Amino acid sequence: VPYHKKTALGRAYASDPSMQKCSKDMRPLLCKGYSDVDMIKSHLRLCACVARSKGIDVPHLESCVGKQSKKII
C-alpha cells in the first residue's frame, strides 16, 4: 500500500483503498483475526524505558506513566 503525508511532518496516510479510514468498530467485522493495539502515553513510556536501560532513575516520569492496565507481549 503506498503512503503519503499531508504535511512534511507527522502521520503518513495510506492511499485508497485502505483499512486506515475505517472506524475502529468496523475493522474487526471486515478482517478476520483483526486486533487493534492502542498505545497509551507511548512517548512517555518509551522515554522511561530508554532511561531504565541506561540506568537513569526517573521517578517523576515513572509516576506519570503509571501502571499499565494490560500487558502486551
Side-chain angles (χ1 to χ4, degrees), residues 5 7 17 33-34 38 46-47 49 54 56 62 66:
K5 289 189 171 199
T7 61
Y34 176 84
D38 289 329
L46 289 171
C47 288
C49 183
K54 302 291 183 186
I56 301 169
E62 295 284 354

Side-chain angles (χ1 to χ4, degrees), residues 11-63:
R11 180 184 301 247
Y13 294 89
S15 300
D16 290 329
S18 166
M19 295 298 292
Q20 188 176 28
K21 294 180 183 178
C22 290
S23 71
K24 185 176 182 176
D25 297 328
M26 184 62 82
R27 290 179 197 150
L29 299 174
L30 298 174
C31 298
K32 183 178 180 179
Y34 176 84
S35 62
D36 194 15
V37 177
D38 289 329
M39 294 183 65
I40 300 169
K41 301 179 184 177
S42 60
H43 287 90
L44 296 177
R45 289 184 189 280
L46 289 171
C47 288
C49 183
V50 169
R52 278 193 307 270
S53 73
K54 302 291 183 186
I56 301 169
D57 189 29
V58 286
H60 296 293
L61 183 57
E62 295 284 354
S63 174

